[in-house]
């Protein structure tokens, strides 16, 4: 349901930002489908999504209007991910055939590159009587997290004196979503120009 609403709102699967959330959610559904026995090569997420679309008019009428686009996007992403899974399974099969333990580095490579959750690797390895280096996987995961953090520039969100005073002077915003009205009027109380002063319009 979350994927349906996000795609309807224009968020498509990708590797960054909101799109990455959509991709991870949808891929999780595909993986669960495989574990439940959905035949390889059969696209099933659009059929599941139709149920969410049927339930949507009371919450967001636009979902129904965007149904075909949503279903097509989900089908494309599922098919794309299934191809990735097939490649990952082939690599895992080679690792299992080699015998010995599946290293943490290899398990993380399957996760990071091919979308294989650790539990899937463990399950397939267990069926063959092969162990997986979970500690090594967690180490590789933590190293990747640290690398990702260092690659992103930190943004200073500290309020200066003026912005702090302004925040204290205005009343809390009343949230009016999820009701019968999907739109509401709002009043602009102030515009901050480089954190220094209020200006009468965005053109000043």
């Amino acid at each position: 349901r979350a994927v349906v609403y996000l795609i309807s709102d224009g968020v498509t699967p990708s590797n960054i930002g909101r799109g990455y959330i959509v991709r991870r959610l949808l891929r999780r559904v595909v993986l669960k489908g495989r574990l439940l026995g959905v035949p390889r090569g059969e696209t099933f997420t659009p059929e599941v999504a139709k149920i969410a679309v049927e339930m949507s008019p009371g919450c967001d009428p636009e979902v129904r209007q965007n149904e075909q686009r949503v279903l097509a996007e989900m089908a494309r992403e599922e098919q794309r991910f299934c191809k990735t899974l097939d490649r990952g399974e082939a690599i895992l099969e080679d690792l299992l055939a080699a015998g010995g333990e599946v290293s943490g580095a290899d398990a993380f490579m399957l996760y990071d590159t091919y979308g294989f959750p650790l539990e899937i690797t463990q399950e397939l390895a267990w069926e063959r009587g092969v162990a997986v280096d979970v500690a090594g996987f967690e180490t590789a995961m933590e190293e990747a997290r640290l690398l990702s953090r260092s690659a992103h520039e930190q943004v200073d969100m500290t309020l200066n004196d003026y912005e702090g005073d302004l925040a204290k002077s205005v009343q809390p915003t009343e949230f009016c979503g999820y009701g019968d009205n999907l739109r509401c009027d709002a009043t602009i109380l102030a515009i901050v120009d480089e954190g220094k002063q209020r200006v009468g319009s965005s053109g000043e």
Side-chain angles (χ1 to χ4, degrees), residues 174 176 181-186:
E174 179 183 356
C176 57
N181 297 321
L182 298 178
R183 294 179 176 83
C184 63
D185 295 328

Side-chain angles (χ1 to χ4, degrees), residues 20-193:
Y20 184 66
I21 295 174
V22 173
R23 172 158 287 170
R24 292 294 297 171
L25 287 172
L26 187 52
R27 289 186 171 190
R28 195 70 182 172
V29 173
V30 175
L31 284 169
K32 291 297 184 182
R34 282 210 172 185
L35 289 176
L36 291 172
V38 174
R40 186 187 300 271
E42 180 177 314
T43 303
F44 71 94
T45 55
E47 293 302 315
V48 177
K50 288 179 182 179
I51 299 174
V53 173
E54 290 293 331
M55 299 168 60
S56 69
C59 299
D60 187 350
E62 292 184 1
V63 173
R64 170 76 73 179
Q65 299 171 17
N66 298 327
E67 178 177 5
Q68 293 307 312
R69 177 170 60 81
V70 171
L71 299 183
E73 189 66 48
M74 292 182 71
R76 278 194 297 271
E77 180 65 16
E78 180 181 351
Q79 291 163 5
R80 187 182 301 119
F81 182 47
C82 283
K83 291 179 180 178
T84 300
L85 278 178
D86 290 341
R87 291 194 294 269
E89 285 182 353
I91 292 174
L92 178 57
E93 180 62 30
D94 290 340
L95 293 172
L96 296 175
E101 184 180 65
V102 176
S103 71
D106 285 334
F108 180 73
M109 177 270 295
L110 288 168
Y111 167 80
D112 190 48
T113 305
Y114 298 100
F116 257 68
L118 177 61
E119 58 266 27
I120 300 294
T121 299
Q122 286 178 297
E123 180 175 332
L124 295 176
W126 178 81
E127 292 176 354
R128 302 282 288 274
V130 177
V132 178
D133 179 11
V134 177
F137 173 87
E138 292 174 347
T139 297
M141 175 75 83
E142 183 59 27
E143 290 175 352
R145 287 191 184 123
L146 293 174
L147 184 62
S148 177
R149 287 176 193 154
S150 64
H152 288 78
E153 183 177 276
Q154 291 189 350
V155 178
D156 184 6
M157 299 295 290
T158 305
L159 296 176
N160 61 28
D161 291 340
Y162 171 73
E163 291 168 333
D165 292 340
L166 176 61
K168 294 176 183 177
S169 67
V170 298
Q171 295 297 316
T173 301
E174 179 183 356
F175 179 72
C176 57
Y178 303 133
D180 295 331
N181 297 321
L182 298 178
R183 294 179 176 83
C184 63
D185 295 328
T187 301
I188 298 176
L189 301 178
I191 299 176
V192 179
D193 180 17

Side-chain angles (χ1 to χ4, degrees), residues 1-13:
R1 185 176 181 182
V3 170
V4 168
Y5 278 65
L6 284 166
I7 294 178
S8 175
D9 285 341
V11 183
T12 55

